[in-house]
């Protein structure tokens, strides 16, 4: 795929002191950072090491047993996020409060615990609210608890799992990479219990730059000023293998968060479980007692490839600005 190859090549390009420094200098210049040239030299090697360590954790995770994959992927993601943050926040971390994960979860799991029904609570301080704000413009990401089922629903690669599990589609395709339009079935208005006018208003609040709207057969065609970018926030989610954007069927899953945020919350919870809930984790891996196992296994297969792509796409996008 052209987009995947472009991201992979660009990440390789960044792995020298000269190219990393030049890239960071351009980022700081575009952000009007005072003393940007000096800071780009100071951060070049740190930037490279974050990228290398992140990629190494993911590569090791792909070869590791399922029992340790969540920890390796979570810390790999953290390193890649820190590389992205250096492009926007040259003095990161500004204080020690930013060194925490920025999420909390139940310390003890209840009897008959189900991962799909478990919740995490974003915090006011720490890495999660920090990167959500400075990378994706989500300044109030800490306002609500998030359950694992809701997070899974907004990852397009999990769509087939939901079709198999409850025989209902969780998302539907609205357009391909590079298209200047997106298409919705008119039945989406019933699913969202809304009118066409209010639905379009809802899309506009999601930062969709709309040029015009018209009906075509039983579809609502929305013309765009510019194609949707794969790094765009929800409710538009990109499937890299299919090069297609997806949209949630159910209004409960209509969220404006970036998909990177969902992967972080899921990996955080899984990494905590495999470290501290060893009996439940061991039973899940060896006995496969319920639907948690296939959902978790499939998600880990997806996130191993998709997180480096999404964060690599973020870095590539800055280069093109």
């Amino acid at each position: 795929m052209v987009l995947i190859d472009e991201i992979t090549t660009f990440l390789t390009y960044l792995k020298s002191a000269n190219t990393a420094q030049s890239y960071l200098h351009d980022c700081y210049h575009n952000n009007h950072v005072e003393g940007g040239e000096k800071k780009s030299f100071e951060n070049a090697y740190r930037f490279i090491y974050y990228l290398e360590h992140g990629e190494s954790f993911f590569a090791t995770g792909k070869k590791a047993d399922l029992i340790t994959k969540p920890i390796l992927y979570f810390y790999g993601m953290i390193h890649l996020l820190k590389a992205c943050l250096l492009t926007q926040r040259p003095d990161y971390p500004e204080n020690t409060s930013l060194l925490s994960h920025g999420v909390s979860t139940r310390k003890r799991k209840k009897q008959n615990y189900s991962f799909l029904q478990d919740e995490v609570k974003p915090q006011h301080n720490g890495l999660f609210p920090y990167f959500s704000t400075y990378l994706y413009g989500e300044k109030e990401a800490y306002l609500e608890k998030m359950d694992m089922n809701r997070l899974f629903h907004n990852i397009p690669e999990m769509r087939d799992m939901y079709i198999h599990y409850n025989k209902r589609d969780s998302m539907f395709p609205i357009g391909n990479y590079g298209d200047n339009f997106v298409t919705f079935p008119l039945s989406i208005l019933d699913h969202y219990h809304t009118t066409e006018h209010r639905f379009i208003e809802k899309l506009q609040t999601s930062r969709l730059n709309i040029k015009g709207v018209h009906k075509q057969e039983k579809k609502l065609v929305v013309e765009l000023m510019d194609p949707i970018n794969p790094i765009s926030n929800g409710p538009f989610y990109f499937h890299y293998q299919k090069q297609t954007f997806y949209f949630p069927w159910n209004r409960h899953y209509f969220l404006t968060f970036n998909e990177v945020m969902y992967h972080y919350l899921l990996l955080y919870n899984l990494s905590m479980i495999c470290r501290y809930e060893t009996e439940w984790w061991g039973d899940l891996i060896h006995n496969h007692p319920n639907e948690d196992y296939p959902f978790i296994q499939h998600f880990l297969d997806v996130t191993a490839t998709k997180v480096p792509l999404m964060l690599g796409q973020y870095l590539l996008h800055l280069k093109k600005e």
Side-chain angles (χ1 to χ4, degrees), residues 289-305:
N290 56 34
E291 63 275 3
D292 284 346
Y293 178 82
F295 273 85
I296 290 171
Q297 184 184 51
H298 185 61
F299 165 72
L300 290 172
D301 290 341
V302 170
T303 201
T305 300

Side-chain angles (χ1 to χ4, degrees), residues 56-286:
S56 180
F57 271 102
F58 274 101
T60 303
K62 288 179 180 179
K63 299 174 185 176
D65 291 334
L66 180 61
I67 197 168
T68 57
K69 281 182 185 291
I71 299 174
L72 293 166
Y73 291 159
F74 181 59
Y75 283 101
M77 183 176 194
I78 285 175
H79 280 92
L80 296 180
L81 281 168
K82 289 179 178 179
C84 293
L85 282 169
L86 277 185
T87 67
Q88 305 300 309
R89 308 291 293 177
D91 297 320
Y92 171 82
E94 292 92 329
N95 57 68
T96 55
S97 70
L98 300 178
L99 300 178
S100 67
H101 296 319
V103 193
S104 65
T105 185
R106 293 193 192 105
K107 296 297 185 268
R108 291 174 178 263
K109 304 306 180 187
K110 297 179 180 179
Q111 191 174 10
N112 300 320
Y113 166 79
S114 165
F115 180 77
L116 288 174
Q117 296 173 16
D118 198 8
E119 295 178 331
V120 292
K121 178 68 171 72
Q123 302 297 300
H124 289 262
N125 297 308
L127 181 58
F128 179 76
Y130 188 82
F131 85 74
S132 298
T133 296
Y134 290 109
L135 298 186
Y136 302 111
E138 290 292 342
K139 297 180 180 180
E140 297 182 339
Y142 58 82
L143 291 180
E144 59 180 310
K145 291 181 180 179
M146 300 290 287
D147 66 76
M148 303 301 100
N149 184 50
R150 195 178 188 192
L151 297 174
F152 276 152
H153 259 88
N154 283 311
I155 299 174
E157 290 84 354
M158 299 298 294
R159 177 189 179 207
D160 287 346
M161 291 296 293
Y162 281 100
I163 293 174
H164 295 316
Y165 177 52
N166 57 23
K167 295 181 173 56
R168 284 203 304 270
D169 212 343
S170 59
M171 312 182 91
F172 61 93
I174 58 172
N176 297 320
Y177 176 64
D179 286 351
N180 283 305
F181 62 91
V182 287
T183 304
F184 302 86
L186 284 175
S187 58
I188 193 65
L189 303 179
D190 295 328
H191 284 266
Y192 276 67
H193 306 293
T194 190
T195 63
E196 178 184 328
H197 177 72
R198 289 193 176 276
F199 182 70
I200 297 302
E201 284 185 339
K202 197 174 183 71
L203 295 181
Q204 288 175 319
T205 62
S206 306
R207 307 181 184 99
L208 196 65
N209 198 356
I210 296 175
K211 182 179 181 181
V213 181
H214 67 272
K215 292 178 183 177
Q216 182 178 313
E217 297 178 349
K218 295 183 179 181
K219 296 178 180 180
L220 193 65
V221 180
V222 180
E223 298 177 52
L224 307 175
M225 299 293 290
D226 303 291
I228 303 176
N229 194 301
I231 68 166
S232 295
N233 288 1
F236 317 105
Y237 302 105
F238 189 62
H239 193 305
Y240 277 89
Q241 275 66 41
K242 295 183 178 180
Q243 302 279 283
T244 300
F245 290 93
Y246 285 80
F247 188 88
W249 269 113
N250 192 314
R251 63 176 181 170
H252 175 67
Y253 303 110
F254 183 100
L255 295 170
T256 60
F257 291 173
N258 190 278
E259 188 182 333
V260 168
M261 298 163 66
Y262 307 145
H263 287 255
Y264 183 91
L265 295 174
L266 285 159
L267 286 174
Y268 166 80
N269 200 12
L270 285 170
S271 70
M272 294 294 286
I273 288 170
C274 72
R275 276 181 286 176
Y276 302 115
E277 299 291 337
T278 50
E279 184 177 357
W280 185 88
W281 186 241
D283 185 55
L284 178 82
I285 291 172
H286 298 296

Side-chain angles (χ1 to χ4, degrees), residues 21-33:
Q21 183 274 321
S22 176
Y23 172 75
L24 289 174
H25 179 266
D26 289 344
C27 291
Y28 298 158
H29 175 76
N30 292 338
N31 289 337
H32 308 290
V33 173

Side-chain angles (χ1 to χ4, degrees), residues 16-26 28 33-50 82-83 86-87 89-93:
S16 79
N18 287 343
T19 53
Q21 183 274 321
S22 176
Y23 172 75
L24 289 174
H25 179 266
D26 289 344
Y28 298 158
V33 173
E34 187 175 348
E37 184 170 5
K38 180 183 178 182
K39 290 182 185 296
S40 68
F41 278 104
E42 293 172 347
N43 286 334
Y45 280 107
R46 190 152 61 113
F47 179 74
I48 293 170
Y49 296 151
Y50 281 148
K82 289 179 178 179
L86 277 185
T87 67
R89 308 291 293 177
D91 297 320
Y92 171 82

